[in-house]
Amino acid sequence: MTTPTLYGIGVGPGDPELLTVKAVRCIGASELVFVPISRTGATSLAERIAEPYLDRTRQRVITLEYPTDGRAQSELAAYWDASADTIATMLGLKGTGAFLTEGDPMLFSTFMYTMEALHTRHHSIHIQIVPGVTSITAAAAASGIPLARNDERVTLLPATAPEPELRSALRASDTTVLMKLGGPADRILNILGQEDLLAHAVWIRRCGQPDQEIVRDVRALAGRRLDYFSLMIVKRPSN
Ligand SMILES: C[S@@+](CC[C@H](N)C(=O)[O-])C[C@H]1O[C@@H](n2cnc3c(N)ncnc32)[C@H](O)[C@@H]1O
């Protein structure tokens, strides 16, 4: 009897051509495809990205809810446990499933929490992780901005971090990638202005998706509400 297996698959940031050969093979080998949604009735970005590789005549797509409305981690844990239980029940004793996640599964992804809940609650399930193209590397490619040369230091952090942490990262790094930018642009623009970095930042929204947008003069974002699916690459000029 084969062991029940769950592939945690990164489907990349939006362009279906950025799925790896392995991701496509593992999706094809799965009779069950689990996709995260933020609330009941919502659509799944990961599902949309992987759509060309799904065969709905033989595969079943199951949505799993992961609220993104700012609830406490303690409350979210119940959703992670529930998803793990659903996956375990549906895989049964020998099924194969794919959990699709936007970008890479090990970077700010719902898959990591599900994986931990599976380890704790259903350790008989074999988990295999298939890395994906991250939004960071895709944004660097789309904007033509190198992330690191020679011994340059790169810092990655959520823009929701406290202001002193953002400032010290911007000062200590050659390249700073600010993720989770959803919300008013002005907070970040003020910090970049005070650090004299406004001319060295690029904003990339929905990289690889049909509505991708790249803004090279971020001052143009003043007064705007930024999309959650956007990031900034800040490249300190070399001396
Ligand atoms: C929950 S994290 C997911 C990261 C993802 N696992 C990855 O590997 O890129 C969501 C954040 O990633 C960034 N992001 C994800 N997809 C993006 C895209 N297509 N374009 C720009 N930024 C994106 C945004 O900063 C967003 O707030």
Side-chain angles (χ1 to χ4, degrees):
M1 186 181 289
T2 48
T3 314
T5 298
L6 181 71
Y7 297 113
I9 300 180
V11 297
D15 179 349
E17 291 193 351
L18 287 183
L19 270 85
T20 63
V21 174
K22 187 163 189 166
V24 172
R25 180 177 61 73
C26 292
I27 291 171
S30 302
E31 58 257 41
L32 299 170
V33 179
F34 301 96
V35 297
I37 53 169
S38 56
R39 60 179 188 286
T40 311
T43 58
S44 161
L45 177 58
E47 180 182 4
R48 222 180 316 143
I49 296 170
E51 190 62 53
Y53 309 106
L54 298 176
D55 176 356
R56 290 172 193 275
T57 60
R58 68 176 179 85
Q59 290 175 308
R60 185 161 161 212
V61 177
I62 300 109
T63 55
L64 299 172
E65 196 177 338
Y66 296 86
T68 52
D69 52 9
R71 289 175 210 209
Q73 295 272 312
S74 52
E75 235 185 289
L76 292 174
Y79 287 87
W80 305 333
D81 289 350
S83 292
D85 293 351
T86 302
I87 291 168
T89 305
M90 296 193 75
L91 289 183
L93 292 175
K94 58 182 178 62
T96 301
F99 185 114
L100 306 186
T101 186
E102 193 259 343
D104 182 87
M106 302 306 261
L107 181 72
F108 291 136
S109 120
T110 45
F111 174 73
M112 300 176 303
Y113 305 111
T114 311
M115 176 182 75
E116 282 156 13
L118 282 168
H119 281 325
T120 317
R121 298 164 75 84
H122 304 283
H123 38 82
S124 63
I125 293 181
H126 173 66
I127 296 177
Q128 192 181 326
I129 299 170
V130 181
V133 173
T134 69
S135 55
I136 302 165
T137 44
S143 62
I145 298 178
L147 290 171
R149 281 184 280 240
N150 299 323
D151 51 0
E152 285 184 343
R153 291 149 299 175
V154 181
T155 302
L156 156 66
L157 75 172
T160 47
E163 195 171 318
E165 281 177 35
L166 293 174
R167 285 183 190 283
S168 64
L170 288 164
R171 286 176 195 166
S173 323
D174 299 292
T175 309
T176 309
V177 181
L178 300 172
M179 300 179 76
K180 304 196 178 188
L181 274 174
D186 291 356
R187 173 175 179 260
I188 291 298
L189 295 185
N190 288 339
I191 296 171
L192 291 176
Q194 285 154 13
E195 297 297 325
D196 211 13
L197 287 169
L198 271 177
H200 304 285
V202 173
W203 180 71
I204 302 106
R205 167 183 178 266
R206 300 213 169 232
C207 186
Q209 296 171 28
D211 46 357
Q212 171 179 298
E213 187 182 356
I214 300 180
V215 174
R216 293 180 191 276
D217 181 353
V218 296
R219 284 167 288 213
L221 299 172
R224 191 166 156 183
R225 251 196 107 69
L226 300 182
D227 193 324
Y228 173 74
F229 284 100
S230 70
L231 57 80
M232 265 187 204
I233 303 177
V234 187
K235 188 90 195 169
R236 181 171 281 287
S238 39
N239 298 319

